[in-house]
Amino acid sequence: MMWPAAVDRLLQWALEEDVGRGDITSEAVIPPHLRAAAVVRVKEAARVCGLPMAEAVFRMMDREVECQRLVQEGADVDGPSAVMRVEGPARAVLSAERTALNVLARLTGVATLTRRAVAELAGTRARLLDTRKTTPGWRWLEKYAVRVGGGLNHRYGLDHLVLIKDNHIAICGGVAQAVERARAAVGPAYRIEVEVETLAQLDEALAAGADMILLDNMSLPAMAAAVERTAGRVPLEASGGVTLERLRAIAETGVDYISMGALTHSAVSVDVGLDVEEVAP
């Protein structure tokens, strides 16, 4: 699996953060020649995500460590399950353990929450989007986990899409002025999405030629009215205060997309562990 070089740097940094000048406990009690085989287990129902990254951490610690996946990336497990076997120098296996498990636990948590959110939208036209509310440095990884969970990625960064928000509108003096300036600057190279808070702003954005409109913190009746007023001319995205409990009702207003920051900023890491099962000279 390929990923940006920044992900390798992040994983290497995370490993160095934990190991520091050396794992003094493992070096003190484990002979250097000893080898170990261990099993990584996810201890609860989850959508497994992050196995390639966990493997990379073990390999960064020692190229002699070998990893065997016991389930596929993106697999659903109903309860405690063995997901990976790790074999290699015992010191290396234990020294990399916590960093590898932290990555696996975090990404599995994001994927699992996303899977639950996607399930709430079944039977509706709405598709689930993530946001830029990610852990600093972890954006590629967390957005990857959203995809594994069945969601879609919104813009990766500020250079991927023109999204005119409330502060842009305030500085420009209105929706129409902001869209006009954006269109003049970027031409047809980028889509222009506009965040609106009222139906009056929606009308302005439509008249200005927005390619997509974000309905920010609107009530359910206002969202339904926006869908009717837009009549399919551009896609509509609902955002703001989106929770698992509200997802279905928002989707039933007829919006095309729902963006949910909680997928990444509020996902809880899944409980994972590693147990040594064999030791050999």
Side-chain angles (χ1 to χ4, degrees), residues 3-154:
W3 52 64
V7 172
D8 281 324
R9 292 195 296 270
L10 173 66
L11 297 177
Q12 186 66 52
W13 175 84
L15 187 59
E16 291 171 359
E17 176 186 50
D18 196 40
V19 175
R21 291 173 294 173
D23 178 356
I24 58 175
T25 306
S26 295
E27 291 172 6
V29 304
I30 300 174
H33 62 275
L34 208 64
R35 298 182 65 83
V39 173
V40 175
R41 291 182 172 85
V42 171
K43 299 182 180 181
E44 56 190 283
R47 174 158 293 182
V48 179
C49 179
L51 293 175
M53 296 78 190
E55 291 172 7
V57 170
F58 282 112
R59 296 279 289 165
M60 286 174 180
M61 190 70 218
D62 192 315
R63 301 298 294 178
E64 290 188 27
V65 176
E66 297 180 357
C67 299
Q68 176 189 6
R69 298 182 202 179
L70 304 179
V71 300
Q72 292 185 342
E73 178 80 336
D76 291 325
V77 297
D78 295 329
S81 301
V83 298
M84 185 164 63
R85 179 179 172 85
V86 182
E87 186 173 352
R91 286 183 177 181
V93 170
L94 296 193
S95 295
E97 172 188 355
R98 177 43 50 201
T99 302
L101 295 185
N102 284 351
V103 172
L104 181 63
R106 173 65 183 158
L107 298 185
T108 297
V110 172
T112 300
L113 177 58
T114 303
R115 179 191 64 176
R116 291 181 59 196
V118 169
E120 292 294 326
L121 304 182
T124 73
R125 65 182 296 169
R127 305 289 300 277
L128 186 70
L129 296 172
D130 57 18
T131 72
R132 287 168 39 243
K133 295 177 181 178
T134 54
T135 307
W138 279 68
R139 181 163 297 169
W140 191 93
L141 288 170
E142 291 178 348
K143 282 182 171 283
Y144 163 77
V146 167
R147 296 196 304 275
V148 171
L152 300 176
N153 294 151
H154 205 304

Side-chain angles (χ1 to χ4, degrees), residues 144-277:
Y144 163 77
V146 167
R147 296 196 304 275
V148 171
L152 300 176
N153 294 151
H154 205 304
R155 59 177 178 167
Y156 181 82
L158 295 174
D159 58 345
H160 283 203
L161 169 74
V162 176
L163 176 47
I164 298 171
K165 298 176 72 68
D166 56 348
N167 286 326
H168 299 110
I169 293 169
I171 290 172
C172 292
V175 171
Q177 295 93 320
V179 173
E180 181 180 0
R181 292 184 190 180
R183 189 69 74 190
V186 304
Y190 293 91
R191 289 185 308 146
I192 296 177
E193 183 174 8
V194 180
E195 176 185 279
V196 303
E197 298 176 343
T198 66
L199 294 177
Q201 285 187 325
L202 171 73
D203 291 337
E204 290 182 63
L206 289 169
D211 299 307
M212 185 170 175
I213 298 174
L214 185 154
L215 310 177
D216 185 42
N217 282 298
M218 282 192 177
S219 66
L220 295 176
M223 288 185 207
V227 170
E228 183 177 0
R229 192 171 296 195
T230 302
R233 284 176 283 174
V234 299
L236 294 179
E237 171 191 347
S239 186
V242 177
T243 62
L244 286 173
E245 294 73 22
R246 296 187 67 226
L247 267 172
R248 186 76 188 183
I250 295 172
E252 289 175 348
T253 66
V255 295
D256 302 283
Y257 299 99
I258 303 173
S259 55
M260 186 174 177
L263 297 177
T264 50
H265 72 58
S266 295
V268 177
S269 292
V270 166
D271 190 10
V272 298
L274 178 147
D275 297 302
V276 172
E277 296 193 337

